[in-house]
Structure formats: structure tokens, C-alpha cells
Amino acid sequence: MPGVLYIVPTPVGNLEDFTFRAIRVLKEADLILAEDTRTSSVLLKHYDIHGRLESHHKFNEHKTSEIIRDRILSGLNVALISDAGTPGISDPGFLLVRTCVEQGIEVQTLPGPTAFVPALVSSGFPCDRFCFEGFLPVKKGRQTKLKTLAEEARTMIFYESPYRLVKTLRQLAEFFGPERPCCVSREISKIHEEHRRGTLTEVAQWYTDHEPKGEIVLIVAGKE
């Protein structure tokens, strides 16, 4: 009888942001796939989870997805986790899920932490309609994407590196207008959690003067 693929969200900051079900699934799984085994080992050790751990990341997922599929078909129950948040949301996971779904394997995705939801709600922008854009293209297609999004009426959600944040804010101000409201949420669920609100120009200047650090979610108001 085939096993099950479990998609297990992990805390984005505070280790207490973990469900009882997630802990049970990881303890019972025959195999745990982790984006970075060193990072995940800290979480697993904290919750006394000692299952078999293997790597599954963006550099090997094209090669390993079919291998994992076959192991699940042979009866193994496999749990997939990422460094933080829900696998598949700007993290490895999509290819493995698709491969298993195409084979008729049961996929159970547990509800749990993801960085953009608390950032969106805390921003004060409308939450009834929004679009998640993840990371913008670094080079090819970036300007085309920004031109398209300049007309987007829904609240927009982006992930960004602290090293590119100021550049991105300035480019957004160029395409969306300098007065477009935004909110930068930094270090969600961690000790130094911060929500910096203002216009794109104001927030860009703030982070020019105050070097950003940590994990960042950028929320931008839609076009009125």
C-alpha cells in the first residue's frame, strides 16, 4: 500500500509556533526531507524528533522528486519541511507535490506558519483581495513585471532580501509612484520583529539610513 506525502510548515521565527499535529507527523514519518538538514536539525532536536533526515532543496529536487515518489509508492510515509514556513511557498516542494499527485499519491498539507499572512494582516492594507508575488525577478523580466504590477489594484505581497530591499523600494517608487503606501515587515515572529510603514520613498530612505537585516516581507498597496 502506498505511503503518504506530508507537507509540514515549520516556524518562521519563534519555535513555539508549531502545532501538535506537525510534531506528531514528523515523529511518525519514515523519512523527513529538509531544505537544509543543519537548520532543521535544530528544530527537530528541540522537539525530540529523531527520524531519518535527508536533503531536498532547489538544487536537487529535479533529480530526487521521482526517487522520493517511488519510495512513497513502496509504502514509506514522507514528511517535507523547509527552513521556515510552508514548503512550496517560495521554497522547494512544488515539484515533489506535482510528481506525487500525478501518480495518485495522497498528499496531506498541514496548516501552519507562513511569513506573508501575519505581514499582510499587520500592514493595515486590505486583506480581502491580494496577490502574492514572492521574489521579483533579479534581472531578466524585472522591469516588465514591475510595469504590469503598477496597474494591480489588489494589495501586493513580495519577499525580498535585505541586500536588495532599498533597490526594490526605489524601483517600485519609480514604477508605482513615490507616494504609494507600503509596509516592510521584518523578522516575523522573532525578537526584533518590526513593521515599517510609509510611502515607498519614505521607507526606502529609512532603510538607506538604517541597514535592513533578517527575513523581509514587503506589502504594497494596490493602485486606487
Side-chain angles (χ1 to χ4, degrees):
M1 183 176 178
V4 176
L5 172 63
Y6 294 95
I7 307 301
V8 183
T10 54
V12 297
N14 194 316
L15 292 184
E16 293 180 1
D17 297 335
F18 212 23
T19 67
F20 292 121
R21 183 184 174 199
I23 295 169
R24 176 183 60 78
V25 166
L26 291 177
K27 285 187 174 183
E28 295 177 355
D30 298 304
L31 174 64
I32 300 171
L33 301 177
E35 184 178 3
D36 187 324
T37 56
R38 295 166 298 179
T39 299
S40 296
S41 291
V42 176
L43 175 68
L44 299 181
K45 182 178 180 181
H46 181 81
Y47 283 101
D48 197 29
I49 300 169
H50 304 286
R52 182 177 177 182
L53 189 64
E54 293 184 8
S55 295
H56 183 81
H57 46 72
K58 66 180 180 179
F59 300 109
N60 72 359
E61 61 179 338
H62 286 84
K63 295 180 180 179
T64 60
S65 290
E66 292 186 357
I67 296 173
I68 298 302
R69 175 204 62 193
D70 292 342
R71 295 167 78 175
I72 297 174
L73 286 172
S74 72
L76 288 185
N77 289 319
V78 176
L80 174 66
I81 60 178
S82 61
D83 289 349
T86 301
I89 305 297
S90 291
D91 277 326
F94 162 70
L95 287 177
L96 179 58
V97 171
R98 184 177 66 180
T99 301
C100 289
V101 167
E102 289 174 347
Q103 195 64 42
I105 292 171
E106 181 181 359
V107 178
Q108 291 190 22
T109 301
L110 280 62
T114 186
F116 77 78
V117 172
L120 171 63
V121 175
S122 296
S123 71
F125 299 146
C127 303
D128 56 336
R129 297 178 67 245
F130 60 88
C131 59
F132 175 73
E133 295 295 331
F135 288 95
L136 286 166
V138 177
K139 293 181 180 178
K140 186 178 180 180
R142 186 178 177 94
Q143 291 198 357
T144 301
K145 185 72 170 179
L146 290 174
K147 288 179 182 177
T148 302
L149 291 175
E151 301 302 315
E152 175 60 64
R154 295 170 294 179
T155 301
M156 291 166 277
I157 305 168
F158 303 93
Y159 285 163
E160 191 51 278
S161 159
Y163 308 107
R164 292 194 299 266
L165 177 62
V166 171
K167 175 184 176 181
T168 295
L169 287 167
R170 288 175 175 169
Q171 285 186 319
L172 289 172
E174 177 185 347
F175 284 89
F176 293 8
E179 299 303 310
R180 182 76 69 93
C182 72
C183 176
V184 170
S185 294
R186 193 175 62 81
E187 295 289 81
I188 293 290
S189 189
K190 298 179 181 177
I191 295 174
H192 301 292
E193 179 172 336
E194 174 187 64
H195 302 274
R196 180 65 52 182
R197 303 172 181 86
T199 66
L200 288 167
T201 300
E202 289 169 345
V203 177
Q205 186 58 54
W206 170 267
Y207 284 112
T208 298
D209 299 334
H210 304 80
E211 182 182 1
K213 296 179 180 179
E215 303 293 329
I216 290 170
V217 183
L218 169 60
I219 312 294
V220 182
K223 182 178 180 180
E224 294 186 358

